[in-house]
Structures are given as structure tokens and as C-alpha cells.
């Protein structure tokens, strides 16, 4: 597989997002299936695994640690802090919390090290900037963890170019992670260029547009807890409008000779050398299909046609709800 720079690390150009095994798109997969997925990815050449405290409220980190700790020297490990599950009422029910205070980030890290069964996390992101805490304070706390040898590098998730620059002035930022695909083009406003200028890698999550760019979807079949049920682009009217983009997109994939998912990931790989997509999946067949994007070559003409077909003006609906939009710091069209 192609190799790209992720801060100080050289990793596979396509990584694995480890949210889907326990969070967001349905019930957690059986542990044996998660183990098979992670080990298949490792054996297929994936050397960039991305997880977070939020995913399954620690379940993803626990699985990654249990399965991959014996192979720790073979891959670069990324996780995230500052967005997690907390028992606020003392009734055993965990709720989603954003907290970027230094003491909280340190506690997040200590817990993550235990779950991941490692002495050091290679890349540790501030999962959300807590707007009640200056980003300089949160990054300063992570810089202390670098100096103590608990983490090797610092990342930020869902931030603007301006916030990236503020953080980078405190400590070098190895990576910014934000949603980026043909149907979510917000990074093109400013943060992609800022990353290029600062030498920061850009990690693209949801590169296949929450599954939309994999082929026809039946939204009525989504699990009751599937996060797409609340996403505006999957609301009935918007989804009908967006489906009109799919047929010409699938025709381009057929013309290129690749799967729809491969086309979406290959588009990202062709956009710039500092972009690293991390498609997530719970299925081995989808994993192997995604990794096949590494061999897909797209002409400038195909790139231009894709971008003219699916972009911020042709996609109906916002990527997030109003509440979720308030929690992120990314630029918007």
C-alpha cells in the first residue's frame, strides 16, 4: 500500500476507523468478528488504527487494546480525548460529555492507556474543542503528556484553520481529523491549506459519506440507534434529492472499473498527499474493498467530473444537526 506521513509517523495511506465495531451505526459486532476485522486489516498492510474514548464509551479502545496489543510495534495508534461518556447523575447511565479541562484530558489519557494496553499513544487528538476552555490550555495539557512520554504527538478534530493556528503556536499539531468526502467539502474552505502550510496531516473520516457513496441505501432499514436517522442529509426529502446523484456516480465507478467505495476513497487520495482517509467498517469484505482504493488511478477528467457532480451546492441538507454543528469548530459554506 502507498505510505503517507502522519505527523512523525509513516503509515499506510488508508487507515482503519474503529468506531463502527461498537458504536454509531448499529449494535456492537460480536467480539470475534471485531477481532477478525482488526487482524485482517493489520495483515493487509494497515498501519494506522484510529479509535476514541467516545466510541462505545470505551468499548472500541478496549477491543483495540485486547486484539492489537500483542502486535503494538507493527502499527501507529491514534485515539482521542475530551469527548467521552460520563455518569453525571450517579445512576450508572453514561452520557456524552465534552470537557477539555487539563485535568480531564489527563484522566482521559490514563484511562485510555489502560484500555489500550499500551504505555504510549502515538497520536492523541482533542476530539472536540471545548469552547469553555481556551484551546491553548487544552493543547498545553496534551503537550505535558508528550513531555511525560504518555503520548507521542497531538491532533485536533473538527477545528477551523484559525483554531489550528492557535493550537500550533503552543505545540506542533501532527494531524487534524475532520469529515471529508465528495459530499462534505468544508475542509476545502481553509483548513486543508492551513494543514499543508503547517506540515500537519489531514485525516479524513467518513470518506464514503456515511455509506451513501457505497451504493443504494435503504434508510428504513437503519438500526434504531443508527446516527444517520438524525442526520439532515438522510431525512426523507433531502435523501430523495441526494439519491439523484447516485446513478451518475455509480456510472463513473463502472467506467473507472472500481467499486463505488473505492472511487470515493481514491478521490481523496488523489486530492493531496497530506490527506489520509480512515474508512470505518464492521465487515471484512467491506474492509478489503476499501483497501483496494489504493490501486485505483483517476484521471484529471474523472476528478473534475466527480467534483462537479457531488459538492456543497448539489448535496441537500446539512451534515449535522444544529446541536452537533454548535459542538464543532469547522468552517461552513
Amino acid at each position: 500500500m502507498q505510505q503517507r506521513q502522519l505527523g512523525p509517523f509513516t503509515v499506510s495511506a488508508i487507515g482503519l476507523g474503529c468506531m463502527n465495531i461498537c458504536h454509531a451505526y448499529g449494535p456492537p459486532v460480536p467480539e470475534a468478528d471485531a477481532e477478525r476485522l482488526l487482524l485482517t486489516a493489520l495483515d493487509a498492510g494497515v498501519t494506522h488504527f484510529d479509535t476514541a474514548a467516545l466510541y462505545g464509551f470505551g468499548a472500541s479502545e478496549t477491543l483495540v487494546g485486547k486484539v492489537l496489543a500483542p502486535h503494538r510495534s507493527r502499527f501507529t495508534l491514534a485515539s482521542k480525548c475530551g469527548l467521552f461518556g460520563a455518569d453525571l447523575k450517579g445512576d450508572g447511565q453514561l452520557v456524552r460529555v465534552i470537557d477539555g479541562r487539563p485535568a480531564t484530558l489527563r484522566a482521559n489519557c490514563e484511562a485510555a492507556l489502560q484500555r489500550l494496553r499500551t504505555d504510549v499513544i502515538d497520536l492523541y487528538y482533542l476530539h472536540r474543542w471545548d469552547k469553555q476552555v481556551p484551546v491553548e490550555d487544552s493543547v498545553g495539557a496534551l503537550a505535558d503528556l508528550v513531555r511525560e512520554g504518555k503520548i507521542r504527538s497531538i491532533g485536533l478534530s473538527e477545528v477551523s484553520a484559525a483554531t489550528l493556528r492557535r493550537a500550533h503556536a503552543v505545540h506542533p499539531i501532527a494531524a487534524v481529523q475532520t469529515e471529508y468526502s465528495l459530499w462534505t467539502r468544508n475542509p476545502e474552505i481553509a483548513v486543508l491549506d492551513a494543514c499543508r502550510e503547517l506540515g500537519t496531516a489531514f485525516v479524513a473520516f467518513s470518506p464514503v459519506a456515511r455509506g451513501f457513496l457505497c451504493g443504494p441505501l435503504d434508510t428504513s432499514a437503519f438500526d434504531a440507534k443508527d446516527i444517520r436517522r438524525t442526520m439532515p442529509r438522510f431525512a426523507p426529502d433531502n435523501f430523495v434529492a441526494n439519491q439523484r446523484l447516485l446513478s451518475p456516480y455509480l456510472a463513473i465507478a463502472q467506467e473507472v472499473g472500481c467499486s463505488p467505495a473505492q472511487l470515493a476513497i481514491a478521490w481523496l487520495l488523489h486530492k493531496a498527499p497530506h490527506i489520509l482517509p480512515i474508512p470505518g467498517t464492521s465487515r471484512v469484505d467491506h474492509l478489503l474493498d476499501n483497501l483496494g482504493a489504493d490501486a485505483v488511478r483517476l484521471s484529471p477528467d474523472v476528478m473534475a467530473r466527480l467534483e462537479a457532480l457531488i459538492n456543497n451546492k448539489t448535496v441537500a441538507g446539512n451534515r449535522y444537526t444544529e446541536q452537533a454543528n454548535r459542538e464543532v469548530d469547522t468552517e461552513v459554506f
Side-chain angles (χ1 to χ4, degrees):
M1 198 185 302
Q2 298 176 52
Q3 302 293 297
R4 295 196 170 183
Q5 286 303 119
L6 180 66
F9 310 103
T10 300
V11 300
S12 54
I14 303 171
L16 179 64
C18 299
M19 179 176 74
N20 303 46
I21 57 177
C22 63
H23 181 82
Y25 296 110
V29 301
E31 187 171 315
D33 291 350
E35 179 176 1
R36 186 178 305 110
L37 180 85
L38 293 170
L39 292 177
T40 299
L42 189 66
D43 289 343
V46 173
T47 57
H48 174 200
F49 289 81
D50 181 277
T51 183
L54 177 70
Y55 304 159
F57 293 153
S60 176
E61 286 183 327
T62 298
L63 274 169
V64 169
K66 181 177 181 180
V67 175
L68 295 183
H71 313 281
R72 185 65 182 85
S73 63
R74 296 174 56 188
F75 66 94
T76 295
L77 174 63
S79 195
K80 309 178 194 74
C81 62
L83 177 59
F84 53 94
D87 182 3
L88 297 182
K89 296 181 180 179
D91 59 0
Q93 298 299 309
L94 298 180
V95 295
R96 186 175 178 276
V97 171
I98 296 174
D99 186 345
R101 292 174 296 175
T104 301
L105 301 185
R106 176 176 290 277
N108 285 172
C109 182
E110 295 292 351
L113 289 169
Q114 292 296 316
R115 289 191 292 263
L116 291 164
R117 304 189 187 188
T118 187
D119 295 327
V120 60
I121 299 168
D122 297 315
L123 172 59
Y124 205 42
Y125 292 90
L126 184 64
H127 202 164
R128 289 290 186 274
W129 171 34
D130 178 354
K131 297 172 186 177
Q132 305 303 310
V133 179
V135 72
E136 292 85 352
D137 291 357
S138 296
V139 172
L142 296 178
D144 288 341
L145 294 173
V146 173
R147 285 187 283 272
E148 294 169 20
K150 295 181 184 295
I151 66 176
R152 291 195 170 105
S153 62
I154 297 171
L156 301 174
S157 179
E158 296 274 38
V159 298
S160 64
T163 301
L164 167 61
R165 293 183 194 281
R166 286 173 55 190
H168 195 77
V170 175
H171 188 280
I173 301 301
V176 166
Q177 181 173 146
T178 293
E179 182 176 358
Y180 187 32
S181 68
L182 278 164
W183 88 340
T184 297
R185 306 286 281 278
N186 305 55
E188 296 172 5
I189 299 172
V191 78
L192 271 176
D193 287 341
C195 286
R196 183 185 296 108
E197 176 189 331
L198 297 173
T200 298
F202 184 92
V203 176
F205 75 79
S206 296
V208 295
R210 311 280 182 180
F212 178 79
L213 295 176
C214 295
L217 281 175
D218 178 5
T219 57
S220 68
F222 287 170
D223 183 81
K225 294 185 177 180
D226 192 312
I227 59 173
R228 292 173 294 185
R229 286 189 173 273
T230 65
M231 289 182 167
R233 290 178 180 173
F234 293 95
D237 289 349
N238 288 335
F239 191 66
V240 168
N242 290 330
Q243 280 187 303
R244 299 188 185 109
L245 304 172
L246 198 55
S247 180
Y249 174 79
L250 296 177
I252 295 175
Q254 185 173 21
E255 173 190 329
V256 171
C258 66
S259 73
Q262 289 171 352
L263 183 62
I265 297 167
W267 176 80
L268 282 166
L269 293 174
H270 282 69
K271 286 297 288 183
H274 68 300
I275 296 172
L276 297 89
I278 51 166
T281 184
S282 60
R283 290 174 47 173
V284 168
D285 58 337
H286 289 173
L287 165 72
L288 297 176
D289 182 58
N290 291 340
L291 298 182
D294 181 68
V296 174
R297 299 294 173 259
L298 303 180
S299 69
D301 173 67
V302 167
M303 293 287 288
R305 286 160 55 200
L306 286 170
E307 292 174 18
L309 174 65
I310 305 177
N311 57 64
N312 60 293
K313 294 180 179 179
T314 63
V315 172
N318 205 301
R319 71 183 181 110
Y320 282 152
T321 62
E322 284 303 311
Q323 172 62 34
N325 277 327
R326 287 193 292 270
E327 294 178 353
V328 300
D329 176 53
T330 49
E331 292 90 356
V332 294
F333 287 102

